Each structure stands twice: as structure tokens, then as C-alpha cells.
Amino acid sequence: MPRAALTRERILQAGIRLADTGGSGSITMRKLGRALDVEAMSLYNHVANKDDLLDGMIDLVFGEIDLSPAGADWEERMRASAVSAHDAFLRHPWACGLILDPGTPRVIPARARYMESILGRLRDARFSAELTYHGYHALDSHILGFTLWEIGHALPPGDPAELFAGFQRLFPVSEFPHLAEHVRQHMTDGSHRDVGAFEFGLGLILDGLKRMRG
Amino acid sequence: MPRAALTRERILQAGIRLADTGGSGSITMRKLGRALDVEAMSLYNHVANKDDLLDGMIDLVFGEIDLSPAGADWEERMRASAVSAHDAFLRHPWACGLILDPGTPRVIPARARYMESILGRLRDARFSAELTYHGYHALDSHILGFTLWEIGHALPPGDPAELFAGFQRLFPVSEFPHLAEHVRQHMTDGSHRDVGAFEFGLGLILDGLKRMRG
DNA sequence: ACCTGAACACCGTTCAAGT
DNA sequence: ACCTGAACACCGTTCAAGT
């Protein structure tokens, strides 16, 4: 049986699968070729280069965001689509870091549609051009920035008690009492990697914007 | 004249200088060796590996943050130290991305002191343990996340008019009216890379925390 | 004690050669 | 039209050999 023909679509899907399981460090032209039973050089027939590959993968992730959620008012709908974005970026934890990586600005169709949607809904909710400008920045930077922050602060695998002990040795309670308390909260909380923490900051932003609109 | 002796301190300083001018992609054991007139392998006598090098560099950046700013009340002081952190990360635009990079959790002395200071000041300002926990996350993720977001969204070099034209060709005004308006605001605003944009989100968070404290 | 040459296992990418 | 072998210019890191 001849293997399935290589297409851009199949390459992007395989790239996402590879990154989901191995992290962004595992995305390599050579590894991706191996996953597709093909030499790395073959990929260049369907993808301009590695950046083009990453752009395509990220475009698909943005495509998973629900931009028309149900909801009674603008605030409820804005919260719902932010949570949908948060969910998508948690499903693909490699994406936020690549999107925010300075040096390679990624202008991507699905991201443009995402921006257009959020900006339009703020304007429709009677936000001024000025407040929409700053409000979008606050929302987008929270969605991408907080999610990346959250992914990086997840408890690493391994025995929590042992982890905590090693941490205490580096930063003794006597010198870092508040830090110790904070870390303990992280341990008992399980991980803070839940919708709650994301929505806490989101709520602050939405509340603030609503009050500023007057 | 024999060249100056290699030390960990000199290596970290040279690394920061290299990254400041060339971006995080320019940090290479080989390039760093060249900058110090030394073979790359020599660095391993003073630094365990590349991650240890990056940890040391980031530690120095955290050390630049003013943790005891003047100010009448907790809110004013919290805003001042957040702005000081923002300044430090803008001086070294490669740092945020490395700090937030998942997969290599960086437990670094200067960062522990930074956390201890902020957590302690929230508790001193009569925030509950619970609110301090979430408030710290909101503040830290805004400081690191927004700053990284901001650095990545700076206008790339080149003729702005030409840039705008290329953008319009990809995303026509008819289909993306709000996006076009937003981009136009970015152009006339110069860059939003100023304290104002950072403080906008910071103000939303501080206001929200103050109200939740009751 | 510290520096280095040679080597190893990786990268992204090009290009001529095959089918 | 699409795939590949060989090659190039890079990586991080180890280790024995030099001083």
C-alpha cells in the first residue's frame, strides 16, 4: 500500500499533533518528516520554510476559537469568546509562546478575523474608538499573556512533596515567608490551571472597561 | 597584553550585551565565545550549560527592578515597582520571552526576592491570603505577559506607509473595517510602546483589587 | 586550573539528481 | 510534479589533550 500523498493540510495536522505531545521544542523539520514517513526535504514542496509551517499551525489554532458565542450582553459574550480562546491555547500549549515570540510578527488570516470580531463587538457596545483601542490591547494581552504565563507556571511532573522540599532548601521560609505561603497555596490548590484564575483577571479588565465607558 | 580573565560575571554581562543588541536568537555559546575572544568550550568552565547562562542573565535583569519605591500608599508603590519592572524588561527585550518560555521553569534568586516583596506588600496592605494569591497572579502575568505582548507588537522597522499598504492588500478595509481602524490608530499613535498602555491595564487590575478588598 | 581541537549528534535549507 | 542524497553552515556539549 503506497503511503498517503503529502499535502500541506496533512503536514500542518501532523505538526500540531507533534507539538501537542512533545512541546514546541519538538517541532523540527526532520522530526516532522519522520512522523510522516518522509524525508525532511520533502516538506519544502508544500511549505515555504519552517516559519510558514508554524504560521499554518497557529492559523488552525486560532480557527478553533468560537467568535460568535451565545450571551445576553456584550460582556457575557466577550467573556465567553475569551474563555474559548483560553481553552484553545491550553489545548495547544506551544501556540502562545510562538504567537508572542518577538522577531517574527505573524500576520495570519484566522487571527485577523479574531481581531476584527473582538474590535467590532466593542464598537457595537458603544465603546469609543479610543477606549476600544486600549481595551483591545488589555484583552488580547491578557488572553495570550496570561495563558502563556499560566502554562509556564504549571506544576512540573514529579512528587510535589519532594519538589516543595527542594524549593524550601533554595528559599528558606525564614527569609521568604510570603513566597512559602504562596507556593503552599499552589500545592493545595492543585494547579491554578483552571478557568477560575484566567477569569479572575478577565473580570477585572471587563469590569474596568465597563466603568470607563460610563 | 593578555586578554582579561574569563569569569562568570564577565560572561553574563557579555551575554546581556549580545542579547540586547541582537535579540534572543543571537544568544549562542559560539557567538558568545567569539564576543569574548574565546572558544565556545571555554565558557563551560564558568557556566554549567546554556540554561545556566540564561538563568544568570535573567537574574541580573530582575536585579535591576526597584523593589522599594517611594510612594504614599500601597497602590502608588505597587504601580511604581510594576513600572520599574516594565522598564527593566523593555531595556532587555529578550528577557520576558525566556522567563515565560514553558518547559524550562526558572527558579532564580532575584525573582524569588521580587515575588517575596510584592506578596509581602499585598499582605501588609490587608489583602487576604486568598486575594493576595490571585492578585499576585494578575499583577505578575500583566507585568510579564503584557510586556512580552507589547514587545512583539512593536512596529517593525521600514517605511510605515509601505507596511500599511501591504497589510491592506492582505486584509482589505471592506472585509476588516475595525481591524483597519485599529492599525491606523497604531500608526498615528506612533507605537503604543509607552508607559501609558502598560499602565492602562495595570490600573484596571489595581482598581479591581482595591474594590475587592472592600 | 583553565583553555582548546576534534568529535558527536543534532538543526534549517538548497539543489541537483532521480522517479 | 514530487521525493531524496548529498552537502553547507550552523547548533550544544563532551572529553582528552595541551598549557
Coordinates of all heavy atoms in Angstrom, one line a residue, chain A residues 81-127:
Chain A
S81 N -16.0 34.3 24.6 CA -15.1 34.1 23.5 C -13.6 34.2 24.0 O -12.8 33.5 23.5 CB -15.3 35.1 22.4 OG -15.2 36.4 22.8
A82 N -13.4 34.9 25.1 CA -12.1 34.9 25.7 C -11.8 33.5 26.3 O -10.7 33.0 26.2 CB -12.0 36.0 26.8
V83 N -12.8 33.0 27.0 CA -12.6 31.7 27.6 C -12.4 30.6 26.5 O -11.6 29.7 26.6 CB -13.9 31.3 28.4 CG1 -13.8 29.8 28.8 CG2 -13.9 32.2 29.7
S84 N -13.1 30.8 25.3 CA -12.9 29.8 24.2 C -11.5 29.9 23.7 O -10.9 28.9 23.4 CB -13.9 30.2 23.1 OG -13.6 29.4 21.9
A85 N -11.0 31.1 23.6 CA -9.6 31.3 23.2 C -8.6 30.7 24.2 O -7.7 29.9 23.8 CB -9.3 32.8 23.0
H86 N -8.9 30.9 25.4 CA -8.1 30.3 26.5 C -8.1 28.8 26.4 O -7.0 28.2 26.5 CB -8.7 30.8 27.9 CG -7.9 30.3 29.1 ND1 -8.5 29.4 30.0 CD2 -6.7 30.6 29.5 CE1 -7.6 29.2 30.9 NE2 -6.5 29.9 30.7
D87 N -9.2 28.2 26.2 CA -9.3 26.8 26.0 C -8.5 26.3 24.9 O -7.7 25.3 25.0 CB -10.8 26.4 25.8 CG -11.6 26.5 27.0 OD1 -11.1 26.6 28.1 OD2 -12.9 26.5 26.9
A88 N -8.6 27.0 23.7 CA -7.9 26.6 22.5 C -6.3 26.6 22.8 O -5.6 25.7 22.4 CB -8.2 27.5 21.3
F89 N -5.9 27.7 23.5 CA -4.5 27.8 23.7 C -4.0 26.8 24.8 O -2.8 26.4 24.8 CB -4.1 29.2 24.1 CG -4.3 30.2 23.0 CD1 -5.0 31.4 23.2 CD2 -3.8 29.9 21.7 CE1 -5.2 32.3 22.1 CE2 -4.0 30.8 20.7 CZ -4.7 32.0 20.9
L90 N -4.9 26.4 25.7 CA -4.5 25.3 26.6 C -4.4 24.0 25.9 O -3.6 23.1 26.3 CB -5.4 25.3 27.8 CG -5.3 26.4 28.9 CD1 -6.2 26.1 30.0 CD2 -3.9 26.6 29.3
R91 N -5.3 23.8 24.9 CA -5.2 22.5 24.2 C -3.9 22.4 23.4 O -3.5 21.3 23.1 CB -6.4 22.4 23.2 CG -7.7 21.9 23.8 CD -8.7 21.5 22.7 NE -9.1 22.6 21.9 CZ -10.1 23.5 22.1 NH1 -10.8 23.4 23.2 NH2 -10.3 24.5 21.2
H92 N -3.4 23.5 23.0 CA -2.2 23.6 22.2 C -1.1 24.5 22.9 O -0.9 25.6 22.4 CB -2.5 24.1 20.8 CG -3.6 23.3 20.1 ND1 -3.6 22.0 19.7 CD2 -4.9 23.8 19.9 CE1 -4.7 21.7 19.2 NE2 -5.6 22.7 19.3
P93 N -0.5 24.0 24.0 CA 0.2 24.9 24.9 C 1.5 25.4 24.2 O 2.1 26.3 24.8 CB 0.6 23.9 26.0 CG -0.1 22.7 25.8 CD -0.5 22.6 24.4
W94 N 1.8 25.0 23.0 CA 3.0 25.5 22.3 C 2.7 26.8 21.6 O 3.6 27.5 21.1 CB 3.5 24.5 21.3 CG 2.4 23.9 20.5 CD1 1.6 22.8 20.9 CD2 1.8 24.4 19.3 NE1 0.6 22.6 20.0 CE2 0.7 23.5 19.0 CE3 2.1 25.4 18.5 CZ2 -0.1 23.8 17.8 CZ3 1.4 25.7 17.3 CH2 0.3 24.8 17.0
A95 N 1.4 27.1 21.4 CA 1.0 28.1 20.4 C 1.3 29.5 21.0 O 1.9 30.4 20.3 CB -0.5 28.0 20.1
C96 N 0.8 29.8 22.2 CA 1.0 31.2 22.8 C 2.5 31.7 22.7 O 2.7 32.8 22.3 CB 0.6 31.2 24.3 SG -1.1 31.3 24.6
G97 N 3.4 30.8 23.0 CA 4.8 31.2 23.0 C 5.2 31.6 21.6 O 6.0 32.6 21.5
L98 N 4.8 30.9 20.6 CA 5.2 31.2 19.2 C 4.5 32.5 18.8 O 5.1 33.3 18.1 CB 4.8 30.0 18.3 CG 5.6 28.7 18.5 CD1 5.1 27.6 17.6 CD2 7.1 29.0 18.2
I99 N 3.2 32.7 19.2 CA 2.5 33.9 18.7 C 3.2 35.1 19.3 O 3.3 36.1 18.7 CB 1.0 33.8 19.2 CG1 0.3 32.6 18.5 CG2 0.3 35.1 18.9 CD1 -1.0 32.2 19.2
L100 N 3.6 35.0 20.6 CA 4.1 36.2 21.3 C 5.6 36.3 21.0 O 6.2 37.4 21.4 CB 3.8 36.1 22.8 CG 2.4 36.3 23.2 CD1 2.2 36.0 24.7 CD2 1.9 37.7 22.8
D101 N 6.3 35.4 20.4 CA 7.7 35.5 20.2 C 8.0 36.7 19.3 O 7.6 36.8 18.2 CB 8.2 34.2 19.5 CG 9.6 34.3 19.1 OD1 10.4 34.7 19.9 OD2 10.0 33.9 18.0
P102 N 8.7 37.6 19.9 CA 9.1 38.8 19.1 C 10.1 38.4 18.1 O 10.7 37.4 18.2 CB 9.8 39.7 20.2 CG 9.8 39.0 21.5 CD 9.4 37.6 21.2
G103 N 10.2 39.2 17.0 CA 11.2 38.9 16.0 C 10.5 38.2 14.8 O 11.0 38.4 13.7
T104 N 9.4 37.5 15.0 CA 8.7 37.0 13.9 C 7.2 37.4 14.0 O 6.4 36.6 14.5 CB 8.8 35.5 13.8 OG1 8.5 34.9 15.1 CG2 10.2 35.1 13.4
P105 N 6.8 38.6 13.6 CA 5.4 39.0 13.7 C 4.6 38.2 12.7 O 4.9 38.0 11.6 CB 5.5 40.5 13.2 CG 6.7 40.6 12.4 CD 7.7 39.6 12.9
R106 N 3.6 37.5 13.3 CA 2.8 36.6 12.5 C 1.5 37.2 12.1 O 0.5 37.2 12.9 CB 2.6 35.3 13.3 CG 3.9 34.7 13.7 CD 3.8 33.3 14.3 NE 5.1 32.7 14.7 CZ 6.0 32.2 13.9 NH1 5.7 32.0 12.6 NH2 7.1 31.7 14.3
V107 N 1.3 37.6 10.9 CA 0.0 38.1 10.4 C -0.6 37.0 9.7 O -0.2 36.5 8.6 CB 0.2 39.3 9.4 CG1 0.4 40.6 10.2 CG2 1.5 39.1 8.5
I108 N -1.7 36.5 10.3 CA -2.3 35.2 10.0 C -3.8 35.5 9.8 O -4.4 36.1 10.6 CB -2.0 34.3 11.1 CG1 -0.5 33.9 11.1 CG2 -2.9 33.0 11.0 CD1 -0.1 33.1 12.3
P109 N -4.4 34.9 8.7 CA -5.8 35.2 8.4 C -6.7 34.9 9.6 O -7.6 35.8 9.9 CB -6.1 34.2 7.3 CG -4.8 33.9 6.6 CD -3.8 34.0 7.7
A110 N -6.6 33.8 10.3 CA -7.6 33.5 11.3 C -7.4 34.5 12.5 O -8.4 34.8 13.2 CB -7.4 32.1 11.8
R111 N -6.2 35.0 12.7 CA -6.0 35.9 13.7 C -6.6 37.3 13.4 O -7.2 38.0 14.2 CB -4.5 36.1 14.0 CG -4.3 37.0 15.2 CD -2.9 37.1 15.7 NE -2.8 37.8 16.9 CZ -1.7 38.2 17.5 NH1 -0.5 37.9 16.9 NH2 -1.7 38.8 18.7
A112 N -6.6 37.6 12.1 CA -7.2 38.9 11.6 C -8.7 38.8 11.9 O -9.3 39.8 12.3 CB -6.9 39.1 10.2
R113 N -9.3 37.7 11.6 CA -10.7 37.5 11.8 C -11.1 37.6 13.3 O -12.1 38.2 13.7 CB -11.2 36.2 11.2 CG -11.3 36.1 9.7 CD -12.0 34.9 9.2 NE -11.3 33.7 9.4 CZ -10.3 33.2 8.6 NH1 -9.9 33.8 7.5 NH2 -9.7 32.0 8.9
Y114 N -10.2 37.1 14.1 CA -10.4 37.1 15.6 C -10.3 38.6 16.0 O -11.2 39.1 16.8 CB -9.3 36.3 16.2 CG -8.9 36.5 17.6 CD1 -9.5 35.8 18.7 CD2 -7.9 37.4 17.9 CE1 -9.1 36.0 20.0 CE2 -7.4 37.6 19.2 CZ -8.1 36.9 20.2 OH -7.7 37.1 21.5
M115 N -9.3 39.3 15.6 CA -9.2 40.7 15.9 C -10.4 41.5 15.5 O -11.0 42.3 16.2 CB -8.0 41.4 15.3 CG -6.7 40.8 15.9 SD -5.2 41.6 15.2 CE -5.3 43.3 15.9
E116 N -10.8 41.3 14.2 CA -12.0 42.1 13.6 C -13.2 41.8 14.5 O -14.0 42.8 14.8 CB -12.2 41.6 12.2 CG -13.4 42.2 11.5 CD -13.2 43.7 11.3 OE1 -12.1 44.2 11.3 OE2 -14.2 44.4 11.1
S117 N -13.4 40.6 14.9 CA -14.6 40.2 15.7 C -14.6 40.9 17.0 O -15.6 41.6 17.4 CB -14.6 38.7 15.8 OG -15.6 38.4 16.8
I118 N -13.5 40.9 17.7 CA -13.5 41.5 19.1 C -13.6 43.0 19.0 O -14.3 43.7 19.7 CB -12.2 41.1 19.8 CG1 -12.3 39.6 20.1 CG2 -12.0 41.9 21.1 CD1 -11.1 39.0 20.9
L119 N -12.9 43.6 18.0 CA -12.9 45.1 17.9 C -14.3 45.5 17.5 O -14.9 46.5 18.1 CB -11.9 45.5 16.8 CG -10.4 45.4 17.1 CD1 -9.6 45.5 15.9 CD2 -10.1 46.5 18.2
G120 N -14.9 44.8 16.6 CA -16.3 45.1 16.1 C -17.3 45.1 17.3 O -18.2 45.9 17.4
R121 N -17.2 44.0 18.1 CA -18.1 43.9 19.2 C -18.0 45.0 20.3 O -18.9 45.4 20.9 CB -18.0 42.5 19.8 CG -18.7 41.5 19.0 CD -18.9 40.2 19.7 NE -17.7 39.4 19.6 CZ -17.3 38.5 20.5 NH1 -18.0 38.3 21.6 NH2 -16.2 37.8 20.3
L122 N -16.7 45.4 20.5 CA -16.5 46.5 21.4 C -17.2 47.8 20.9 O -17.9 48.5 21.6 CB -15.0 46.8 21.7 CG -14.3 45.7 22.5 CD1 -12.8 46.0 22.6 CD2 -14.9 45.8 24.0
R123 N -16.9 48.1 19.6 CA -17.5 49.3 19.0 C -19.1 49.2 19.0 O -19.7 50.2 19.3 CB -17.1 49.4 17.5 CG -15.6 49.7 17.4 CD -15.2 51.1 18.0 NE -15.2 52.1 17.0 CZ -15.7 53.3 17.2 NH1 -16.2 53.6 18.4 NH2 -15.6 54.2 16.3
D124 N -19.6 48.0 18.7 CA -21.0 47.8 18.8 C -21.6 48.1 20.2 O -22.7 48.5 20.3 CB -21.4 46.4 18.3 CG -21.2 46.2 16.8 OD1 -21.0 47.2 16.1 OD2 -21.3 45.0 16.4
A125 N -20.8 47.8 21.2 CA -21.2 48.0 22.5 C -21.0 49.5 23.0 O -20.8 49.7 24.2 CB -20.5 47.0 23.5
R126 N -20.8 50.4 22.0 CA -20.8 51.8 22.3 C -19.5 52.2 23.0 O -19.4 53.3 23.6 CB -22.0 52.3 23.1 CG -23.3 52.1 22.4 CD -24.4 52.7 23.2 NE -24.7 52.1 24.5 CZ -24.2 52.5 25.7 NH1 -23.5 53.6 25.7 NH2 -24.5 51.8 26.8
F127 N -18.4 51.5 22.8 CA -17.1 51.9 23.2 C -16.5 52.9 22.2 O -16.7 52.7 21.0 CB -16.1 50.8 23.4 CG -16.4 50.0 24.7 CD1 -17.2 48.8 24.7 CD2 -15.8 50.4 25.9 CE1 -17.4 48.1 25.8 CE2 -16.0 49.6 27.1 CZ -16.9 48.5 27.0

